[in-house]
Amino acid sequence: MITSWYNISADLPRPLPPPMDPYEGDSRIALLTRILPSDLIDQEFTAERYVPIPEKVQELYERIGRPTPLRRARGLERAIGTKAKIYYKFEGALPGGSHKLNTAVAQVYYASMDGAREVVTETGAGQWGLAVAIASALIGINAKVFMTKNSYMNKKQRVLFMRVFGADVSPSPSDLTEFGKKTLAKDPNHPGSLGVAISEAIEYAVGGEGRKYIPGSVLEFVLLHQTVIGQEAMQQMPEEPDLVVGCVGGGSNFSGLSFPFIGAKLMGKGFERTRFLAVESNAAPKLTRGSYMYDYPDTAGTLPMIRMYTLGHDYVPPPIHAAGLRYHGAAPSLSLLVKDGYVETRSYGQGEVMEAARLFAKSEAILPAPESAHAIRAVIDEAKRMNGGTILFNLSGHGLLDADAYERVLMP
Amino acid sequence: MITSWYNISADLPRPLPPPMDPYEGDSRIALLTRILPSDLIDQEFTAERYVPIPEKVQELYERIGRPTPLRRARGLERAIGTKAKIYYKFEGALPGGSHKLNTAVAQVYYASMDGAREVVTETGAGQWGLAVAIASALIGINAKVFMTKNSYMNKKQRVLFMRVFGADVSPSPSDLTEFGKKTLAKDPNHPGSLGVAISEAIEYAVGGEGRKYIPGSVLEFVLLHQTVIGQEAMQQMPEEPDLVVGCVGGGSNFSGLSFPFIGAKLMGKGFERTRFLAVESNAAPKLTRGSYMYDYPDTAGTLPMIRMYTLGHDYVPPPIHAAGLRYHGAAPSLSLLVKDGYVETRSYGQGEVMEAARLFAKSEAILPAPESAHAIRAVIDEAKRMNGGTILFNLSGHGLLDADAYERVLMP
């Protein structure tokens, strides 16, 4: 079992630009320190290379099925006729079907240590909300989830399953907050947005006793928690990979897998020839076509600004199956590594991605989430180019709750 | 890794009554030997205690994720306040989400060894059909699935996923067979039944070159293949269980877990104090309220008669969430063990079962299939009664594709 999370900011080639308040208005940093569990604030800014995983969280990791399997994709290798060996870490094996639970159990645990009786969060497609619902059930505190109304109407299974785990789910905008009421007054049929949902979650967290707000990606401590993936993979891999691949929404699953390897490389502890490839969607191409600058991580500008690759916090991505990749920015540490050339980037359109998903399903017997299928697309293209060598990628989620994505591809 | 399947007929307290032809009409046994892969016919009648698992099937077992995890349900133990230790074998971790894949990969493999280019089967709710679709994709032959029309219309996700894996799925009754056409002529709106679907699958298999028919439960070789579950569990368990529990549709998942333990007990190799409990649905209570007699395993009477606990092959169970338990009979070897008192039985209604499912989800972070939740209900009731001791049960499937079952319970 892994007993510490790995903090790459200890080994970055240059210091990580810190979160920043805007020149005008209330301090977002002060707000953040009030609504987040205090240990998470410490973790956001720590320079320690290793952060011990609390015993209780280690126990929870074991209960949810960690370590997750590392598998060789022999069927896929055969299907594309490559000499490269392809390995994947299967985070879709976790309850809830995605890597999100790795940080959800940690965050909910720290919230409970702060005496919180309820964690509050927002969710888009619902993967994060489901992970929070599960973590809260395991730890025994309430979960309040603001879900963008459009998803709430269309992703009925995820709403239902959040409720099975005991979470209280509201479509956003809601009449539970002033911001929600104001939004509804302007447009009673507002479809909701992640920005509105974040604003409601934060207002709701601030407005009641015993509530803590917890976020699903982008913040550094989220990436930190996900490094269990890469540390396990390093123990499980029979040889050094030539290429490490993951998809990027806010950056947590890619970073969770790759940071322990990148860190070892930066420290001169092997992996000299390993390349790292972050794969995003054409619908939100911040790494390939965005700017490296200070911007808000949320649409409403409620959180502190962070330095990252971004398309602008008011960027409106087109609807795609891989809703988890519809994010305008990428986490600061990942952005810095891209900026300085340690991580390569690429973006794909969803047609070619879902074809890769189908090929993977048929050859490996696992339905990948549309998000994870972006990584698969890149792996297939790279494997065809490579003459031998070893690839490792993160199968961050399964696609059993993404029937709509498969339906539109198979029966257009 | 397990290298042989365990055949309990070698150790039964008395000989297993063989399949039988009816007094009139064509020989069903002759038909069966024509349409089934030949190795499966041998396995149906073999007296060998151990049947070697072909190397290729062993490799497939590894690729689909065997051995599956054995987990201790500490959260559930705490939730119900029991001193008993509860362990479960998680077959829902397999692709397709159920134990069905254990026999699907074996059967499709043997069909391909016979030179078949296509396997043909029927499916009700679609768990078996999905397993066959996955196995066929892995082995590289076609799958033709006749799915009861009512399920075909209502279980759209499973239909879709079967197609993603490349299977050819038809609603039954169809116009692809004479029997289907006849059925439709009588009633164009016939909702379909497993009996009609079996008849169509067999007619379709007989009617074309390179086709083999494969069944999902009840036959002895199906139970044989499932014994990988119990053999793994025996290696994984830290101590002898006092109680082994599983749910029963046709009997394959309960038998797969329990037969290696029962066999060891019958051979005098430990497990003297271990009890075995088969749990069924009030909707199809063959073990608790059926008769032990010769009857057809299929509604249409196309297959040979077998001696089993049955409610009659024309029994029409009420619709329930746990569609996999809506079967009128139980496999011959299991029935014999029940008849002779080696296996206890119990039945539950779906309200109490789905409440158990919810409690398990909240305490263990895994959504159980409604079928498997029958075992959980019994485990909870037994654990509350027991003062200490160890329970092992089979979590035969996850419930991610059973949103409808959870919806009706949570939001009646």
Side-chain angles (χ1 to χ4, degrees), chain B residues 266-281:
Chain B
L266 288 166
M267 287 185 267
K269 295 186 175 167
F271 307 100
E272 290 84 9
R273 60 188 165 83
T274 306
R275 293 164 51 217
F276 301 91
L277 176 58
V279 187
E280 59 187 10
S281 164

Side-chain angles (χ1 to χ4, degrees), chain A residues 26 33 71 82 110 112 117 127 136 169 175 179 189 191 210 212 225 235-236 251 271 280 303 314 374 406-408:
Chain A
D26 297 336
T33 57
R71 293 196 185 149
T82 180
Y110 287 122
S112 75
R117 291 185 305 276
Q127 279 196 329
S136 301
V169 189
D175 57 4
F179 190 80
N189 297 316
K212 285 288 175 187
H225 300 156
Q235 291 178 353
Q236 293 166 317
F271 307 100
E280 60 189 7
L303 295 169
D314 51 0
H374 285 72
Y406 282 95
E407 186 157 25
R408 273 173 243 169

Side-chain angles (χ1 to χ4, degrees), chain B residues 87-304:
Chain B
Y87 293 88
Y88 61 95
K89 188 74 172 152
F90 185 29
E91 292 299 299
L94 295 175
S98 85
H99 67 290
K100 294 281 184 189
L101 196 54
N102 296 323
T103 184
V105 293
Q107 293 192 49
V108 175
Y109 166 76
Y110 286 122
S112 75
M113 285 297 98
D114 272 7
R117 292 185 306 275
E118 183 167 54
V119 290
V120 188
T121 198
E122 71 286 335
T123 196
Q127 278 195 330
W128 169 240
L130 184 54
V132 171
I134 293 172
S136 301
L138 288 176
I139 290 165
I141 70 176
N142 293 330
K144 172 77 195 169
V145 181
F146 289 89
M147 185 172 189
T148 56
K149 198 196 276 170
N150 193 45
S151 289
Y152 181 90
M153 305 306 287
N154 289 309
K155 301 274 183 184
K156 289 190 183 302
Q157 284 181 303
R158 286 220 177 88
V159 175
L160 176 73
F161 290 149
M162 282 188 252
R163 290 193 170 134
V164 170
F165 287 109
D168 180 12
V169 189
S170 297
S172 166
S174 75
D175 57 5
L176 297 172
T177 66
E178 290 309 312
F179 190 80
K181 280 184 213 165
K182 229 184 287 175
T183 309
L184 285 172
K186 271 188 237 157
D187 177 4
N189 297 317
H190 195 292
S193 73
L194 213 49
V196 173
I198 291 178
S199 299
E200 284 206 85
I202 290 175
E203 183 188 329
Y204 188 87
V206 170
E209 280 300 299
R211 292 177 188 160
K212 285 288 174 188
Y213 170 75
I214 59 173
S217 193
V218 189
L219 289 174
E220 289 297 320
F221 62 77
V222 178
L223 276 55
L224 177 78
H225 300 156
Q226 295 293 354
T227 60
V228 285
I229 304 172
Q231 291 184 75
E232 284 175 8
M234 208 178 271
Q235 292 178 353
Q236 293 166 319
M237 282 291 285
E239 60 194 311
E240 290 197 2
D242 296 284
L243 178 65
V244 176
V245 183
C247 64
V248 174
S252 79
N253 100 69
F254 172 80
S255 304
L257 176 65
S258 66
F259 279 9
F261 291 91
I262 296 176
K265 185 176 182 172
L266 288 166
M267 287 185 267
K269 295 186 175 167
F271 307 100
E272 290 84 9
R273 60 188 165 83
T274 306
R275 293 164 51 217
F276 301 91
L277 176 58
V279 187
E280 59 187 10
S281 164
N282 283 350
K286 55 261 175 181
L287 295 175
T288 52
R289 274 164 270 176
S291 306
Y292 184 61
M293 56 183 277
Y294 269 100
D295 191 13
Y296 291 107
D298 63 309
T299 315
T302 314
L303 295 170

Side-chain angles (χ1 to χ4, degrees), chain A residues 284-295:
Chain A
K286 55 264 178 180
L287 295 175
T288 52
R289 274 164 270 176
S291 305
Y292 185 61
M293 56 184 276
Y294 269 101
D295 191 14

Side-chain angles (χ1 to χ4, degrees), chain A residues 56 59 62-66 71-72 74-76 78 88 90 93 95-97 101 130 134 137-138 156-157 159-161 163-166 357-358 360-367 398-404 406-408 410-411, chain B residues 56 59 62-66 71-72 74-76 78 88 90 93 95-97 101 130 134 137-138 156-157 159-161 163-166 357-358 360-367 398-404 406-408 410-411:
Chain A
K56 170 79 180 166
E59 184 201 313
E62 199 188 331
R63 280 180 62 194
I64 63 177
R66 301 218 69 88
R71 293 196 185 149
R72 178 145 171 212
R74 287 184 198 271
L76 182 65
R78 257 178 300 218
Y88 61 94
F90 185 28
L101 195 55
L130 184 54
I134 293 171
L138 289 177
K156 289 190 184 302
Q157 283 181 303
V159 175
L160 176 72
F161 291 148
R163 290 194 170 133
V164 169
F165 287 108
R358 176 148 72 161
F360 186 83
K362 289 184 73 167
S363 53
E364 291 296 322
I366 292 172
L367 281 167
H398 69 59
L400 288 174
L401 300 180
D402 298 286
D404 47 340
Y406 282 95
E407 186 157 25
R408 273 173 243 169
L410 282 176
M411 302 156 200
Chain B
K56 170 77 181 170
E59 185 202 312
E62 199 189 331
R63 281 180 62 193
I64 64 177
R66 300 218 72 88
R71 293 197 185 147
R72 177 145 171 213
R74 286 182 197 274
L76 181 65
R78 257 178 302 219
Y88 61 95
F90 185 29
L101 196 54
L130 184 54
I134 293 172
L138 288 176
K156 289 190 183 302
Q157 284 181 303
V159 175
L160 176 73
F161 290 149
R163 290 193 170 134
V164 170
F165 287 109
R358 177 149 72 162
F360 186 84
K362 289 182 74 166
S363 54
E364 290 296 322
I366 291 173
L367 281 166
H398 68 60
L400 287 174
L401 300 180
D402 298 285
D404 48 339
Y406 282 95
E407 185 157 26
R408 272 172 244 170
L410 282 176
M411 301 156 205

